[in-house]
């Protein structure tokens, strides 16, 4: 059985062992009570026997045994015990008392059954001066066990109540302590639940213990992260909407222009422009989609084993027509397979964006070279061009979403490098920008090589 309540759990952990200990303690204290009662009864039996023995004397040449009342009355403790006695001479002649009372050794007393009653018995022998062969006499005294048992119970009961009280008090204190100890957790719960709280504001729980404070700190840190993420998301959506609005407005203007135009060739011209605009819009939508897919947590993380060389070759084949159209010398510098682990689609998307940038921003007739190598346990992908490059102070900014260089003549959405960085970081790598040997830009991507 599992106990899900902390209170019950702690109560069980404290009170059950304590109750177990108390039980063991009670068992030993019962033994002690028994030993004490035995000892007291022994003393009384011995005292009684001795009192009787001392009264036995020779009167007029005859052994005479008179039982002094005190020897019997000393057992009168209010428990209605019966006392049996017997006085015999050394030769076995009964002087007085019950003839069939069994004899017992001198202390400690023994238990025996007499006339269907349990007795404690003790026999005491005593020399009577002048009694000749009748001396020593033996005196046996027995007493029923009511007083003895009552004493055991009295001694033991007080122990029992003490132990019970101890366990109960411990339980109460555990509950009280828990109530106090759990109070900050309850306050934390109320603080998080409180409808008056502004969303994701840090919670404050004054008086929280050192065990609970890390939980509160972690919660606050987590909410801070979520808040930052939500803010970024909001910014992104606002930006995206803004970016979509401009080309959509343009599209609408171009459409009205085409509608108004009656001359066939001018209408044709307007339609071509409209088609180009819608193409750019489609590209923007595609880039937005790719970026949202590249974000961590948007797809099930994939860990395919990808040959980057193969992926790059595939990208170059698809980009070859664009290079040809602008008379750009698109080269591939590789030396065999370079395996990495990651999301294949996203890694290809990353290469597409780098090659696309190089082709787009390099003037017609330029050179773009894609290089792939494995070094120091890393896959190194470089995309070098001899275009205008990116000024050093802009190199951090171009990775931001929607950021484009002011004088960028080419159309673009400003999302390509943001996608590149997102993909590279998800794959555990890093990306950097540098100057090319003959001017232009060199983008270098380093990814961990797949082992084995
Ligand atoms: N190879 C390059 N040479 C010169 N400038 C570059 C190069 N690559 C990128 N840039 C600059 O960095 C900016 C950001 O590039 P990014 O790829 O993020 O966006 P984009 O190319 O404008 O749009 P998208 O790729 O989303 O269509 C570009 O606007 C461009 O000015
Ligand atoms: Mg780009």
């Amino acid at each position: 059985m599992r106990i899900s309540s902390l209170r019950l759990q702690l109560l069980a952990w404290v009170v059950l062992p304590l109750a177990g200990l108390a039980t063991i303690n009670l068992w030993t204290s019962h033994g002690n009570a028994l030993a004490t009662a035995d000892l007291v009864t022994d003393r009384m039996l011995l005292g009684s026997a001795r009192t009787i023995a001392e009264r036995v004397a020779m009167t007029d040449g005859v052994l005479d045994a008179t039982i002094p009342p005190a020897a019997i009355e000393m057992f009168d403790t209010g428990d209605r015990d019966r006392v049996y006695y017997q006085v015999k001479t050394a030769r076995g002649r009964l002087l007085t008392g019950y003839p069939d009372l069994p004899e017992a050794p001198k202390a400690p007393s023994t238990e025996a059954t007499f006339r269907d009653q349990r007795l404690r018995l003790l026999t005491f022998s005593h020399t009577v001066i002048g009694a000749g062969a009748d001396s020593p006499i033996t005196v046996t005294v027995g007493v029923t066990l009511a007083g003895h048992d009552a004493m055991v119970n009295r001694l033991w009961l007080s122990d029992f109540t003490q132990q019970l009280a101890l366990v109960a008090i411990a339980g109460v204190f555990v509950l009280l302590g828990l109530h106090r100890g759990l109070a900050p957790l309850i306050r934390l719960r109320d603080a998080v639940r409180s409808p008056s709280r502004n969303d994701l504001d840090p919670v404050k729980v004054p008086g929280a213990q050192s065990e609970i404070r890390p939980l509160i700190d972690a919660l606050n840190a987590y909410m801070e992260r979520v808040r930052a993420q939500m803010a970024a998301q909001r910014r992104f959506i606002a930006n995206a909407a803004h970016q979509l609005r401009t080309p959509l407005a343009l599209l609408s203007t171009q459409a009205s222009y085409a509608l108004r135009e009656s001359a066939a060739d001018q209408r044709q011209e307007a339609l071509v422009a409209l088609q180009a605009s819608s193409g750019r819009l489609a590209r923007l939508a595609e880039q937005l989609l790719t970026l949202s897919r590249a974000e961590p947590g948007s797809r099930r993380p994939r860990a395919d084993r990808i040959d980057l060389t193969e992926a790059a070759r595939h990208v170059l084949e698809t980009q070859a027509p664009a290079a040809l159209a602008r008379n750009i010398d698109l080269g591939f510098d590789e030396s065999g397979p370079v395996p990495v682990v990651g999301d294949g689609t996203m890694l290809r998307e990353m290469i597409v964006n780098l090659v696309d940038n190089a082709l787009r921003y390099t003037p017609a007739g330029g050179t773009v070279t894609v290089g792939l190598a494995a070094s120091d346990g890393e896959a190194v992908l470089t995309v070098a061009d001899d275009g205008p490059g990116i000024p050093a102070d802009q190199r951090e900014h171009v990775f931001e979403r929607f950021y484009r260089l002011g004088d960028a003549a080419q159309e673009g959405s400003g999302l390509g490098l943001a996608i590149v960085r997102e993909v590279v970081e998800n794959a555990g790598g890093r990306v950097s920008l540098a100057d090319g040997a003959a001017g232009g830009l060199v983008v270098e991507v380093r990814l961990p090589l797949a082992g084995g």
Side-chain angles (χ1 to χ4, degrees):
M1 186 184 67
R2 286 192 56 80
I3 308 174
S4 59
S5 156
L6 186 60
R7 277 178 230 268
L8 286 181
Q9 248 173 36
L10 267 171
L11 204 63
W13 272 104
V14 173
V15 171
L16 288 186
L18 210 61
L21 285 178
T23 310
I24 295 174
N25 202 8
L26 277 179
W27 186 64
T28 49
S29 74
H30 186 261
N32 290 342
L34 207 62
T36 307
D38 284 356
L39 194 72
V40 170
T41 311
D42 270 16
R43 292 273 157 87
M44 283 165 68
L45 284 170
L46 191 62
S48 168
R50 194 173 266 147
T51 314
I52 293 170
E54 275 163 5
R55 281 294 187 87
V56 179
M58 294 296 288
T59 14
D60 310 329
V62 187
L63 255 181
D64 173 54
T66 335
I67 304 298
I72 308 300
E73 282 161 6
M74 64 195 296
F75 292 101
D76 189 11
T77 50
D79 296 303
R80 297 163 167 275
D81 268 321
R82 298 201 54 138
V83 183
Y84 299 95
Y85 57 88
Q86 178 198 72
V87 184
K88 269 182 175 172
T89 66
R91 281 187 284 206
R93 186 166 58 88
L94 181 72
L95 290 180
T96 180
Y98 297 80
D100 49 347
L101 194 65
E103 274 192 31
K106 193 181 168 184
S109 57
T110 52
E111 264 187 36
T113 309
F114 179 65
R115 297 191 178 177
D116 293 335
Q117 301 171 84
R118 279 166 60 238
L119 292 186
R120 280 204 89 81
L121 276 174
L122 182 137
T123 301
F124 177 73
S125 65
H126 181 69
T127 314
V128 181
I129 297 170
D134 281 337
S135 179
I137 55 148
T138 56
V139 178
T140 302
V141 183
V143 64
T144 52
L145 292 176
H148 173 272
D149 291 350
M151 191 188 312
V152 171
N153 285 343
R154 253 197 313 281
L155 287 173
W156 191 62
L157 195 72
S158 78
D159 255 13
F160 182 78
T161 42
Q162 251 175 39
Q163 306 281 339
L164 204 69
L166 211 70
V167 173
I169 289 171
V172 168
F173 272 100
V174 166
L175 285 181
L176 276 180
L178 267 177
H179 185 73
R180 272 193 66 89
L182 288 181
L185 270 184
I186 309 268
R187 280 207 300 280
L188 173 64
R189 181 199 65 192
D190 292 344
V192 172
R193 259 193 199 163
S194 161
S196 69
R197 239 171 57 79
N198 277 334
D199 271 345
L200 302 175
D201 275 353
V203 290
K204 289 193 185 67
V205 182
Q209 301 92 329
S210 57
E211 289 87 351
I212 296 177
R213 246 176 280 130
L215 173 69
I216 298 171
D217 291 346
L219 189 69
N220 283 338
Y222 173 70
M223 289 198 297
E224 182 54 47
R225 271 207 312 281
V226 171
R227 192 154 55 155
Q229 245 168 43
M230 273 169 60
Q233 209 78 36
R234 257 199 303 275
R235 263 200 315 279
F236 179 65
I237 291 174
N239 270 333
H242 185 76
Q243 298 288 328
L244 283 167
R245 195 173 54 180
T246 318
L248 274 172
L250 181 65
L251 210 64
S252 154
T253 313
Q254 284 168 330
S256 342
Y257 184 70
L259 282 173
R260 251 189 286 119
E261 215 49 70
S262 50
D265 53 343
Q266 272 168 347
R267 175 177 281 195
Q268 177 71 13
E269 207 176 292
L271 285 175
V272 167
L274 196 142
Q275 192 189 30
S277 297
S278 74
R280 281 195 292 278
L281 202 57
R283 159 129 177 113
L284 172 58
E286 219 159 274
Q287 290 285 77
L288 279 173
L289 201 61
T290 309
L291 185 60
S292 85
R293 283 206 190 111
E295 281 189 329
S298 57
R299 286 156 60 97
R300 200 137 36 89
R302 294 185 51 173
D304 312 327
R305 202 184 150 89
I306 308 290
D307 177 12
L308 265 192
T309 309
E310 185 54 45
R313 179 175 296 117
H314 185 250
V315 170
L316 288 186
E317 275 164 16
T318 57
Q319 298 280 341
L324 207 64
R326 303 197 60 225
N327 195 23
I328 289 176
D329 175 11
L330 181 56
F332 191 27
D333 194 359
E334 50 104 356
S335 54
V338 177
V340 295
V341 170
D343 185 326
T345 316
M346 285 296 133
L347 287 171
R348 258 193 298 280
E349 206 65 54
M350 181 263 296
I351 304 175
V352 166
N353 269 289
L354 290 178
V355 174
D356 175 81
N357 278 354
L359 291 179
R360 203 191 304 209
Y361 299 111
T362 302
T367 311
V368 171
T369 310
V370 177
L372 253 176
S375 83
D376 295 339
E378 279 184 321
V380 184
L381 165 79
T382 51
V383 179
D385 63 51
D386 55 0
I390 298 178
D393 59 338
Q394 298 288 324
R395 283 184 190 159
E396 196 37 47
H397 294 302
V398 290
F399 288 105
E400 288 164 16
R401 295 168 177 196
F402 302 113
Y403 192 92
R404 311 198 63 230
L405 292 195
D407 57 345
Q410 293 290 328
E411 297 277 352
S413 54
L415 291 175
L417 287 178
I419 292 171
V420 168
R421 181 152 76 177
E422 200 82 42
V423 172
V424 170
E425 283 178 359
N426 282 350
R430 55 194 195 282
V431 54
S432 58
L433 304 179
D435 289 319
L441 185 74
V442 181
V443 186
E444 186 185 76
V445 172
R446 286 176 174 265
L447 296 172
L449 268 185

